Amino acid sequence: MIIQRLDELAAQIDIPLEILQRKTLNSDFKLKVPMHFAQQIEKGNLDDPLLRQILPSIEEAQTAVGFSQDPVGDLKANPTESLLHKYEGRALLITSPQCDIHCRYCFRRHFPYEQAKKRHWQQALELLATDSSIHEIILSGGDPLTLSEAGLIDLLHQLEQIPHLETLRIHSRTPVVAPNRANMKNWLAVLNASRFNKVLVVHCNHPNELSDETHQTFQLYRDVGVTLLNQCVLLKGVNDSAGTLKRLSKKLFSQGVLPYYCHLLDRVEGAAHFEVDTTPTWQIFETLRKELPGYLVPKLVREIAGEPYKTPIYENADT
């Protein structure tokens, strides 16, 4: 079940509708949250970090200098509909315009997904086939795991026909927010038989997002030879403390997932209220480096439009 109405959310989290209404605005980027994720929200807690990620807040109406509709330059790196080619050796295929959840800080909340709805896969696949410098294909969106099982299998078979592709990387929030949707038996069997090196990068920002169901889903992917990594976004009021990120890294690892990236907020219009100031960020990561083994400390990065890689952020860097 997907919650798309404020009254449904209010009933689920035991907060009076009139209180939620005072906190929200009517947005073109609509409320959308799977029941599994909603069940992880603490009932009665208006400041719950999971609720903050999905509630269309009146703070989204604030304007801020430096925030735009295309903060990472996706549209300029768009050689054809559905294909992004920003980094050496890698290309990203927008496989679906849909997500199972609408995260309020999403850097693609203004992306023209009507292009991807046309599914110009054939043109994208032809471009991939002619560029032997591309060795890794990244399935993104939206969320690729919102495709039908048959659609995913068909796409994988087509990608396997391109001989210079070696690695399949899937970026998905579905295994975290709606884990049962990711448990597609035939899809997992095809993944198991695939010649590709296989990587699943999930997106989890807070330890409370993880559950027995996420653990079971991660294990299914590990069982078919998929390497599991996590990326999170540093978000004010959600995970902007060393304690929270420490618990997140340890819980991810207990479920078979390695922390990979912690992104500074992409400066997309409507999300300025999530940005964490520089000084607290340094303090958080200094504490993490002291209290966690290196393999549990995610790399702090920012994506800068036009740069050929994710930019590592260090204390003496100008952010």
Side-chain angles (χ1 to χ4, degrees), residues 35-69:
M35 180 58 73
H36 176 83
F37 190 90
Q39 289 170 340
Q40 309 306 114
I41 296 171
E42 182 183 355
K43 294 184 183 299
N45 183 2
L46 195 58
D47 295 320
D48 181 85
L50 277 60
L51 177 61
R52 182 166 170 80
Q53 294 180 62
I54 55 93
L55 189 67
S57 167
I58 56 176
E59 295 172 295
E60 294 178 29
Q62 300 171 0
T63 58
V65 175
F67 284 72
S68 70
Q69 293 194 358

Side-chain angles (χ1 to χ4, degrees), residues 95-306:
T95 54
S96 170
Q98 304 296 326
C99 281
D100 283 311
I101 190 168
H102 283 175
C103 302
R104 308 314 302 177
Y105 53 86
C106 179
F107 71 96
R108 288 196 183 126
R109 58 182 290 169
H110 304 290
F111 191 83
Y113 279 118
E114 64 274 8
Q115 296 177 353
K117 287 179 183 178
K118 299 174 185 176
R119 293 234 192 127
H120 292 148
W121 285 355
Q122 193 56 47
Q123 188 178 3
L125 291 167
E126 289 170 2
L127 280 172
L128 288 170
T130 60
D131 190 343
S132 60
S133 72
I134 298 175
H135 305 293
E136 180 173 12
I137 184 65
I138 303 166
L139 305 187
S140 186
D143 196 306
L145 294 186
T146 61
L147 289 177
S148 69
E149 185 173 41
L152 278 167
I153 291 171
D154 177 60
L155 178 58
L156 179 56
H157 286 327
Q158 292 188 68
L159 291 169
E160 287 180 319
Q161 301 308 307
I162 301 175
H164 51 265
L165 293 181
E166 300 171 352
T167 299
L168 175 75
R169 192 194 326 169
I170 302 167
H171 283 206
S172 179
R173 189 131 161 78
T174 295
V176 173
V177 303
N180 289 336
R181 271 197 61 138
N183 299 347
M184 295 173 276
K185 183 178 179 181
N186 293 330
W187 163 243
L188 288 165
V190 170
L191 269 184
N192 190 39
S194 175
R195 67 172 179 84
F196 284 136
N197 301 313
K198 301 174 287 284
V199 181
L200 173 61
V201 182
V202 299
H203 176 180
C204 180
N205 296 314
H206 193 280
N208 291 355
E209 298 176 33
L210 298 171
S211 62
D212 290 342
E213 290 82 3
T214 63
H215 193 179
Q216 293 163 7
T217 296
F218 295 154
Q219 187 61 52
L220 289 173
Y221 279 83
R222 293 177 68 199
D223 287 345
V224 297
V226 178
T227 298
L228 271 66
L229 305 173
N230 182 67
Q231 58 183 352
C232 67
V233 182
L234 189 64
L235 301 167
K236 182 182 288 187
V238 175
N239 59 9
D240 54 333
S241 75
T244 298
L245 288 179
K246 181 179 176 180
R247 287 191 292 116
L248 175 61
S249 284
K250 294 178 77 171
K251 195 166 183 179
L252 283 165
F253 188 62
S254 75
Q255 296 197 2
V257 184
L258 272 178
Y260 173 42
Y261 279 148
C262 180
H263 292 263
L264 294 183
L265 180 75
D266 292 318
R267 289 172 170 162
V268 64
E269 285 183 7
H273 55 291
F274 284 112
E275 189 163 49
V276 181
D277 291 338
T278 299
T279 298
T281 299
W282 303 145
Q283 294 170 344
I284 289 167
F285 272 79
E286 179 64 18
T287 300
L288 291 180
R289 285 189 288 268
K290 289 178 179 176
E291 297 185 1
L292 287 174
Y295 60 87
L296 290 186
V297 180
K299 297 175 185 176
L300 182 64
V301 297
R302 165 168 280 159
E303 185 161 0
I304 300 174

